[in-house]
Amino acid sequence: MDTSDPEIVFNHSGECNHCTFFDLNVKNFIKNDKEGIKEFNEIVNKIKIEGRNKEYDCIIGLSGGIDSSYLALKVKELDLRPLVVHVDAGWNSELAVSNIQKVVDHCGYDLFTEVIDWEVMKKLHIAYFKSGICNQDVPQDHVFFSSLYHFAIKNKIKYILSGGNFATESIFPNSWQGSAMDARNLKSIYKHHTGLKLKNYRTINFFQYYILFPFLYGMRTVRPLNYMDYNKSKALAELKRIGFKPYPGKHGESIFTKFFQDYYMPKKFGYDIRKPHLSSLILSKQISRENALKEITEIKYDSREINDLIDY
């Protein structure tokens, strides 16, 4: 990490606040020791008991990325019965569709796909471009989260299993993003740039996410990968054995996210998403700093590829 994060602070020994945050919080998030495994087993048993007479005892959002796909494999090994939901916002790559099918077929899961109204998504994306804010992935991210929670409520499922994890996502500058859960901001941007009220697009607000769903409905988000010795390379190797094929980049499953992270962010704001991603892997000892520095110097795309993305 460097001063492309305007809020970065270095101490007298050259260590930044991101590293300090990791050191202070790693034991609170990564719980793959004896006590953590015991805690996780208790959670799994509770999910099974509470879901005993239901068709599904938990819910997983499957994007086709490595984290959620690997989680789906592990959940199968735990003998849980998840409702698997995929949200199609119009930007799936062909490879993502293929990888999702490979995971679902291997695990024998039922897959429910929520297809978002493309005309609404298109207008929302254009509104976000016009707004000029940094996090252009909010239209996708928000509807992914909101659809998952609404599916859980509809099917009376209390446990949401997330592929989010501290080992590969411990670093991300606050200044590079706005909260994807801020429905008020999202609706405001849409109305300001279209003159319309947002319809045919599910939202979730802070009150629902932090208070209503957990306290009234008793919903809980569990991040199983934090209880495992999660290593991205090893996870990919395991996925490859079922026919899963890797993407170029962290979120290559989405054509829009690839464009946004590889081109829009660095060109418009000078933010290289590889820096926090690789820094997280350095801290969790999945890559050496030397290899990360070497990787960061490599060109992310050729001009023909990015021109094709822009045209698309």
Side-chain angles (χ1 to χ4, degrees):
M1 287 304 301
D2 57 20
T3 51
S4 58
D5 171 12
E7 297 175 352
I8 200 167
V9 177
F10 295 90
N11 64 20
H12 64 279
S13 60
E15 184 179 88
C16 78
N17 54 295
H18 295 292
C19 291
T20 304
F21 173 81
F22 180 90
D23 291 341
L24 290 173
N25 289 278
V26 60
K27 290 184 179 179
N28 296 326
F29 286 97
I30 300 179
K31 301 179 179 181
N32 54 13
D33 56 8
K34 188 176 181 180
E35 288 184 10
I37 293 171
K38 180 183 177 183
E39 178 184 325
F40 183 58
N41 287 336
E42 290 173 355
I43 293 171
V44 171
N45 288 333
K46 193 173 182 181
I47 293 172
K48 290 178 178 178
I49 291 169
E50 293 186 13
R52 185 173 290 162
N53 297 317
K54 299 177 182 178
E55 186 175 5
Y56 307 105
D57 52 23
C58 58
I59 189 169
I60 297 175
L62 183 59
S63 68
I66 293 175
D67 296 342
S68 66
S69 298
Y70 183 73
L71 173 63
L73 295 190
K74 297 294 108 178
V75 167
K76 179 68 176 177
E77 293 175 8
L78 293 168
D79 201 28
L80 293 171
R81 296 174 288 104
L83 169 65
V84 179
V85 176
H86 173 69
V87 180
D88 181 358
W91 295 109
N92 283 349
S93 66
E94 290 183 12
L95 183 53
V97 174
S98 173
N99 282 339
I100 289 169
Q101 199 59 54
K102 291 279 197 320
V103 172
V104 170
D105 288 345
H106 174 79
C107 296
Y109 292 145
D110 293 331
L111 175 67
F112 291 80
T113 300
E114 174 92 343
V115 180
I116 309 303
D117 186 316
W118 173 243
E119 290 304 312
V120 174
M121 281 299 298
K122 183 166 63 174
K123 289 175 184 175
L124 189 54
H125 276 298
I126 292 170
Y128 264 76
F129 275 131
K130 288 180 177 179
S131 76
I133 69 168
C134 176
N135 191 357
Q136 293 290 319
D137 244 350
V138 169
Q140 282 193 107
D141 289 345
H142 188 95
V143 79
F144 291 167
F145 280 114
S146 63
S147 296
L148 192 61
Y149 275 83
H150 286 294
F151 259 99
I153 292 293
K154 181 180 178 181
N155 290 275
K156 298 180 180 178
I157 298 171
K158 289 187 177 182
Y159 292 92
I160 296 173
L161 305 188
S162 168
N165 65 92
F166 195 72
T168 67
E169 300 169 336
S170 62
I171 291 183
F172 205 95
N174 291 328
S175 55
W176 289 18
Q177 61 185 343
S179 174
M181 306 307 292
D182 192 344
R184 185 177 179 182
N185 180 242
L186 181 143
K187 291 176 181 177
S188 177
I189 288 173
Y190 184 81
K191 187 174 183 179
H192 181 79
H193 292 286
T194 67
L196 303 171
K197 187 175 181 180
L198 185 60
K199 296 179 179 179
N200 299 326
Y201 178 99
R202 286 180 174 172
T203 59
I204 179 173
N205 57 43
F206 286 128
F207 175 75
Q208 290 173 315
Y209 185 67
Y210 290 108
I211 298 174
L212 184 65
F213 291 162
F215 292 105
L216 182 62
Y217 294 108
M219 294 174 67
R220 179 179 177 184
T221 299
V222 181
R223 293 176 172 80
L225 300 185
N226 281 340
Y227 292 92
M228 303 175 188
D229 185 16
Y230 183 56
N231 181 289
K232 202 106 180 179
S233 298
K234 292 179 180 177
L236 178 57
E238 191 168 333
L239 285 165
K240 282 181 177 179
R241 288 197 281 272
I242 67 166
F244 187 101
K245 294 183 179 178
Y247 305 100
K250 179 173 171 62
H251 289 295
E253 65 269 22
S254 166
I255 295 170
F256 182 85
T257 303
K258 179 175 175 56
F259 164 79
F260 157 60
Q261 291 189 349
D262 287 2
Y263 184 77
Y264 183 90
M265 279 183 76
K267 273 288 182 181
K268 186 172 178 65
F269 296 99
Y271 301 159
D272 188 337
I273 201 75
R274 295 176 300 177
K275 289 179 181 178
H277 290 167
L278 289 170
S279 294
S280 297
L281 294 178
I282 292 169
L283 290 173
S284 60
K285 296 181 172 57
Q286 298 190 34
I287 188 174
S288 68
R289 188 171 184 273
E290 290 71 28
N291 285 338
L293 287 169
K294 182 180 178 182
E295 188 171 329
I296 210 78
T297 61
E298 296 174 359
I299 298 173
K300 299 175 76 171
Y301 52 79
D302 59 40
S303 58
R304 183 181 299 177
E305 179 187 16
I306 203 62
N307 285 332
D308 287 345
L309 271 178
I310 292 169
D311 290 341
Y312 185 85

PDB file of all heavy atoms in Angstrom, residues 287-307:
ATOM      1  N   ILE A 287       1.652 -14.827  -0.131  1.00  0.00           N
ATOM      2  CA  ILE A 287       2.551 -14.393  -1.192  1.00  0.00           C
ATOM      3  C   ILE A 287       3.652 -13.563  -0.536  1.00  0.00           C
ATOM      4  O   ILE A 287       3.427 -12.933   0.502  1.00  0.00           O
ATOM      5  CB  ILE A 287       1.794 -13.551  -2.262  1.00  0.00           C
ATOM      6  CG1 ILE A 287       2.682 -13.259  -3.479  1.00  0.00           C
ATOM      7  CG2 ILE A 287       1.245 -12.262  -1.670  1.00  0.00           C
ATOM      8  CD1 ILE A 287       1.944 -12.566  -4.617  1.00  0.00           C
ATOM      9  N   SER A 288       4.837 -13.584  -1.111  1.00  0.00           N
ATOM     10  CA  SER A 288       5.917 -12.774  -0.549  1.00  0.00           C
ATOM     11  C   SER A 288       5.791 -11.342  -1.064  1.00  0.00           C
ATOM     12  O   SER A 288       5.210 -11.085  -2.116  1.00  0.00           O
ATOM     13  CB  SER A 288       7.285 -13.340  -0.957  1.00  0.00           C
ATOM     14  OG  SER A 288       7.488 -13.163  -2.360  1.00  0.00           O
ATOM     15  N   ARG A 289       6.331 -10.401  -0.305  1.00  0.00           N
ATOM     16  CA  ARG A 289       6.301  -9.004  -0.728  1.00  0.00           C
ATOM     17  C   ARG A 289       7.058  -8.825  -2.044  1.00  0.00           C
ATOM     18  O   ARG A 289       6.651  -8.036  -2.914  1.00  0.00           O
ATOM     19  CB  ARG A 289       6.918  -8.121   0.367  1.00  0.00           C
ATOM     20  CG  ARG A 289       6.766  -6.620   0.106  1.00  0.00           C
ATOM     21  CD  ARG A 289       7.196  -5.809   1.337  1.00  0.00           C
ATOM     22  NE  ARG A 289       6.958  -4.388   1.133  1.00  0.00           N
ATOM     23  CZ  ARG A 289       7.829  -3.567   0.546  1.00  0.00           C
ATOM     24  NH1 ARG A 289       8.997  -4.051   0.115  1.00  0.00           N
ATOM     25  NH2 ARG A 289       7.556  -2.278   0.386  1.00  0.00           N
ATOM     26  N   GLU A 290       8.148  -9.570  -2.201  1.00  0.00           N
ATOM     27  CA  GLU A 290       8.939  -9.461  -3.438  1.00  0.00           C
ATOM     28  C   GLU A 290       8.123  -9.890  -4.653  1.00  0.00           C
ATOM     29  O   GLU A 290       8.143  -9.228  -5.695  1.00  0.00           O
ATOM     30  CB  GLU A 290      10.202 -10.335  -3.316  1.00  0.00           C
ATOM     31  CG  GLU A 290      11.247  -9.824  -2.328  1.00  0.00           C
ATOM     32  CD  GLU A 290      10.804  -9.974  -0.876  1.00  0.00           C
ATOM     33  OE1 GLU A 290      10.005 -10.893  -0.592  1.00  0.00           O
ATOM     34  OE2 GLU A 290      11.265  -9.153  -0.050  1.00  0.00           O
ATOM     35  N   ASN A 291       7.410 -11.008  -4.535  1.00  0.00           N
ATOM     36  CA  ASN A 291       6.590 -11.479  -5.653  1.00  0.00           C
ATOM     37  C   ASN A 291       5.411 -10.539  -5.919  1.00  0.00           C
ATOM     38  O   ASN A 291       5.003 -10.348  -7.065  1.00  0.00           O
ATOM     39  CB  ASN A 291       6.080 -12.892  -5.381  1.00  0.00           C
ATOM     40  CG  ASN A 291       7.164 -13.934  -5.545  1.00  0.00           C
ATOM     41  OD1 ASN A 291       8.163 -13.710  -6.226  1.00  0.00           O
ATOM     42  ND2 ASN A 291       6.991 -15.095  -4.923  1.00  0.00           N
ATOM     43  N   ALA A 292       4.873  -9.945  -4.852  1.00  0.00           N
ATOM     44  CA  ALA A 292       3.777  -8.989  -5.022  1.00  0.00           C
ATOM     45  C   ALA A 292       4.255  -7.742  -5.764  1.00  0.00           C
ATOM     46  O   ALA A 292       3.573  -7.229  -6.649  1.00  0.00           O
ATOM     47  CB  ALA A 292       3.192  -8.614  -3.660  1.00  0.00           C
ATOM     48  N   LEU A 293       5.441  -7.259  -5.397  1.00  0.00           N
ATOM     49  CA  LEU A 293       6.008  -6.087  -6.079  1.00  0.00           C
ATOM     50  C   LEU A 293       6.277  -6.379  -7.556  1.00  0.00           C
ATOM     51  O   LEU A 293       6.092  -5.524  -8.420  1.00  0.00           O
ATOM     52  CB  LEU A 293       7.303  -5.649  -5.387  1.00  0.00           C
ATOM     53  CG  LEU A 293       7.134  -4.952  -4.029  1.00  0.00           C
ATOM     54  CD1 LEU A 293       8.473  -4.822  -3.319  1.00  0.00           C
ATOM     55  CD2 LEU A 293       6.497  -3.578  -4.218  1.00  0.00           C
ATOM     56  N   LYS A 294       6.694  -7.608  -7.823  1.00  0.00           N
ATOM     57  CA  LYS A 294       6.925  -8.009  -9.213  1.00  0.00           C
ATOM     58  C   LYS A 294       5.610  -8.044  -9.983  1.00  0.00           C
ATOM     59  O   LYS A 294       5.527  -7.581 -11.125  1.00  0.00           O
ATOM     60  CB  LYS A 294       7.598  -9.389  -9.242  1.00  0.00           C
ATOM     61  CG  LYS A 294       7.931  -9.880 -10.642  1.00  0.00           C
ATOM     62  CD  LYS A 294       8.596 -11.255 -10.572  1.00  0.00           C
ATOM     63  CE  LYS A 294       8.889 -11.770 -11.985  1.00  0.00           C
ATOM     64  NZ  LYS A 294       9.499 -13.133 -11.939  1.00  0.00           N
ATOM     65  N   GLU A 295       4.563  -8.588  -9.331  1.00  0.00           N
ATOM     66  CA  GLU A 295       3.256  -8.693  -9.991  1.00  0.00           C
ATOM     67  C   GLU A 295       2.645  -7.325 -10.264  1.00  0.00           C
ATOM     68  O   GLU A 295       1.989  -7.115 -11.285  1.00  0.00           O
ATOM     69  CB  GLU A 295       2.310  -9.523  -9.121  1.00  0.00           C
ATOM     70  CG  GLU A 295       0.986  -9.854  -9.795  1.00  0.00           C
ATOM     71  CD  GLU A 295       0.157 -10.847  -9.012  1.00  0.00           C
ATOM     72  OE1 GLU A 295       0.747 -11.702  -8.315  1.00  0.00           O
ATOM     73  OE2 GLU A 295      -1.086 -10.770  -9.088  1.00  0.00           O
ATOM     74  N   ILE A 296       2.884  -6.376  -9.377  1.00  0.00           N
ATOM     75  CA  ILE A 296       2.270  -5.062  -9.500  1.00  0.00           C
ATOM     76  C   ILE A 296       2.850  -4.278 -10.683  1.00  0.00           C
ATOM     77  O   ILE A 296       2.230  -3.335 -11.194  1.00  0.00           O
ATOM     78  CB  ILE A 296       2.428  -4.254  -8.189  1.00  0.00           C
ATOM     79  CG1 ILE A 296       1.252  -3.282  -8.013  1.00  0.00           C
ATOM     80  CG2 ILE A 296       3.724  -3.482  -8.150  1.00  0.00           C
ATOM     81  CD1 ILE A 296       0.004  -3.908  -7.525  1.00  0.00           C
ATOM     82  N   THR A 297       4.050  -4.675 -11.133  1.00  0.00           N
ATOM     83  CA  THR A 297       4.669  -3.972 -12.266  1.00  0.00           C
ATOM     84  C   THR A 297       4.171  -4.494 -13.613  1.00  0.00           C
ATOM     85  O   THR A 297       4.396  -3.872 -14.647  1.00  0.00           O
ATOM     86  CB  THR A 297       6.207  -4.120 -12.234  1.00  0.00           C
ATOM     87  OG1 THR A 297       6.551  -5.507 -12.342  1.00  0.00           O
ATOM     88  CG2 THR A 297       6.778  -3.540 -10.954  1.00  0.00           C
ATOM     89  N   GLU A 298       3.491  -5.633 -13.601  1.00  0.00           N
ATOM     90  CA  GLU A 298       2.998  -6.205 -14.847  1.00  0.00           C
ATOM     91  C   GLU A 298       1.790  -5.423 -15.360  1.00  0.00           C
ATOM     92  O   GLU A 298       0.960  -4.951 -14.589  1.00  0.00           O
ATOM     93  CB  GLU A 298       2.606  -7.676 -14.632  1.00  0.00           C
ATOM     94  CG  GLU A 298       3.779  -8.566 -14.253  1.00  0.00           C
ATOM     95  CD  GLU A 298       3.349  -9.984 -13.910  1.00  0.00           C
ATOM     96  OE1 GLU A 298       2.130 -10.251 -13.949  1.00  0.00           O
ATOM     97  OE2 GLU A 298       4.234 -10.805 -13.600  1.00  0.00           O
ATOM     98  N   ILE A 299       1.681  -5.281 -16.668  1.00  0.00           N
ATOM     99  CA  ILE A 299       0.555  -4.574 -17.276  1.00  0.00           C
ATOM    100  C   ILE A 299      -0.708  -5.414 -17.091  1.00  0.00           C
ATOM    101  O   ILE A 299      -0.705  -6.625 -17.340  1.00  0.00           O
ATOM    102  CB  ILE A 299       0.815  -4.306 -18.774  1.00  0.00           C
ATOM    103  CG1 ILE A 299       2.046  -3.409 -18.931  1.00  0.00           C
ATOM    104  CG2 ILE A 299      -0.400  -3.665 -19.434  1.00  0.00           C
ATOM    105  CD1 ILE A 299       2.498  -3.223 -20.356  1.00  0.00           C
ATOM    106  N   LYS A 300      -1.797  -4.759 -16.695  1.00  0.00           N
ATOM    107  CA  LYS A 300      -3.017  -5.497 -16.362  1.00  0.00           C
ATOM    108  C   LYS A 300      -3.778  -5.958 -17.601  1.00  0.00           C
ATOM    109  O   LYS A 300      -4.541  -6.909 -17.548  1.00  0.00           O
ATOM    110  CB  LYS A 300      -3.934  -4.609 -15.505  1.00  0.00           C
ATOM    111  CG  LYS A 300      -3.310  -4.195 -14.194  1.00  0.00           C
ATOM    112  CD  LYS A 300      -4.187  -3.233 -13.436  1.00  0.00           C
ATOM    113  CE  LYS A 300      -5.350  -3.946 -12.789  1.00  0.00           C
ATOM    114  NZ  LYS A 300      -6.103  -3.061 -11.877  1.00  0.00           N
ATOM    115  N   TYR A 301      -3.610  -5.262 -18.712  1.00  0.00           N
ATOM    116  CA  TYR A 301      -4.382  -5.582 -19.920  1.00  0.00           C
ATOM    117  C   TYR A 301      -3.667  -4.976 -21.120  1.00  0.00           C
ATOM    118  O   TYR A 301      -2.841  -4.071 -20.979  1.00  0.00           O
ATOM    119  CB  TYR A 301      -5.794  -4.999 -19.808  1.00  0.00           C
ATOM    120  CG  TYR A 301      -5.796  -3.525 -19.467  1.00  0.00           C
ATOM    121  CD1 TYR A 301      -5.551  -2.550 -20.445  1.00  0.00           C
ATOM    122  CD2 TYR A 301      -6.009  -3.094 -18.164  1.00  0.00           C
ATOM    123  CE1 TYR A 301      -5.517  -1.213 -20.121  1.00  0.00           C
ATOM    124  CE2 TYR A 301      -5.981  -1.741 -17.842  1.00  0.00           C
ATOM    125  CZ  TYR A 301      -5.740  -0.809 -18.831  1.00  0.00           C
ATOM    126  OH  TYR A 301      -5.696   0.526 -18.521  1.00  0.00           O
ATOM    127  N   ASP A 302      -4.006  -5.470 -22.326  1.00  0.00           N
ATOM    128  CA  ASP A 302      -3.477  -4.815 -23.526  1.00  0.00           C
ATOM    129  C   ASP A 302      -4.544  -3.857 -24.058  1.00  0.00           C
ATOM    130  O   ASP A 302      -5.719  -3.933 -23.706  1.00  0.00           O
ATOM    131  CB  ASP A 302      -3.034  -5.834 -24.583  1.00  0.00           C
ATOM    132  CG  ASP A 302      -4.160  -6.757 -25.032  1.00  0.00           C
ATOM    133  OD1 ASP A 302      -5.297  -6.270 -25.193  1.00  0.00           O
ATOM    134  OD2 ASP A 302      -3.904  -7.954 -25.235  1.00  0.00           O
ATOM    135  N   SER A 303      -4.132  -2.936 -24.910  1.00  0.00           N
ATOM    136  CA  SER A 303      -5.033  -1.873 -25.383  1.00  0.00           C
ATOM    137  C   SER A 303      -6.224  -2.437 -26.149  1.00  0.00           C
ATOM    138  O   SER A 303      -7.339  -1.917 -26.064  1.00  0.00           O
ATOM    139  CB  SER A 303      -4.262  -0.884 -26.256  1.00  0.00           C
ATOM    140  OG  SER A 303      -3.658  -1.554 -27.353  1.00  0.00           O
ATOM    141  N   ARG A 304      -6.005  -3.522 -26.886  1.00  0.00           N
ATOM    142  CA  ARG A 304      -7.100  -4.114 -27.659  1.00  0.00           C
ATOM    143  C   ARG A 304      -8.166  -4.675 -26.715  1.00  0.00           C
ATOM    144  O   ARG A 304      -9.365  -4.493 -26.939  1.00  0.00           O
ATOM    145  CB  ARG A 304      -6.576  -5.232 -28.560  1.00  0.00           C
ATOM    146  CG  ARG A 304      -7.657  -5.855 -29.447  1.00  0.00           C
ATOM    147  CD  ARG A 304      -7.091  -6.972 -30.287  1.00  0.00           C
ATOM    148  NE  ARG A 304      -6.043  -6.493 -31.183  1.00  0.00           N
ATOM    149  CZ  ARG A 304      -5.336  -7.288 -31.984  1.00  0.00           C
ATOM    150  NH1 ARG A 304      -5.536  -8.589 -31.969  1.00  0.00           N
ATOM    151  NH2 ARG A 304      -4.411  -6.776 -32.766  1.00  0.00           N
ATOM    152  N   GLU A 305      -7.712  -5.330 -25.651  1.00  0.00           N
ATOM    153  CA  GLU A 305      -8.649  -5.901 -24.694  1.00  0.00           C
ATOM    154  C   GLU A 305      -9.490  -4.822 -24.038  1.00  0.00           C
ATOM    155  O   GLU A 305     -10.714  -4.955 -23.918  1.00  0.00           O
ATOM    156  CB  GLU A 305      -7.875  -6.683 -23.621  1.00  0.00           C
ATOM    157  CG  GLU A 305      -8.781  -7.301 -22.558  1.00  0.00           C
ATOM    158  CD  GLU A 305      -7.997  -7.930 -21.411  1.00  0.00           C
ATOM    159  OE1 GLU A 305      -6.779  -7.631 -21.278  1.00  0.00           O
ATOM    160  OE2 GLU A 305      -8.599  -8.692 -20.650  1.00  0.00           O
ATOM    161  N   ILE A 306      -8.864  -3.724 -23.593  1.00  0.00           N
ATOM    162  CA  ILE A 306      -9.625  -2.687 -22.911  1.00  0.00           C
ATOM    163  C   ILE A 306     -10.529  -1.945 -23.871  1.00  0.00           C
ATOM    164  O   ILE A 306     -11.645  -1.544 -23.519  1.00  0.00           O
ATOM    165  CB  ILE A 306      -8.689  -1.705 -22.160  1.00  0.00           C
ATOM    166  CG1 ILE A 306      -9.463  -1.000 -21.028  1.00  0.00           C
ATOM    167  CG2 ILE A 306      -8.064  -0.677 -23.085  1.00  0.00           C
ATOM    168  CD1 ILE A 306     -10.002  -1.920 -19.971  1.00  0.00           C
ATOM    169  N   ASN A 307     -10.108  -1.774 -25.135  1.00  0.00           N
ATOM    170  CA  ASN A 307     -10.978  -1.137 -26.112  1.00  0.00           C
ATOM    171  C   ASN A 307     -12.212  -1.990 -26.397  1.00  0.00           C
ATOM    172  O   ASN A 307     -13.321  -1.460 -26.579  1.00  0.00           O
ATOM    173  CB  ASN A 307     -10.217  -0.863 -27.420  1.00  0.00           C
ATOM    174  CG  ASN A 307      -9.255   0.319 -27.294  1.00  0.00           C
ATOM    175  OD1 ASN A 307      -9.496   1.219 -26.484  1.00  0.00           O
ATOM    176  ND2 ASN A 307      -8.191   0.307 -28.072  1.00  0.00           N
TER     177      ASN A 307
END
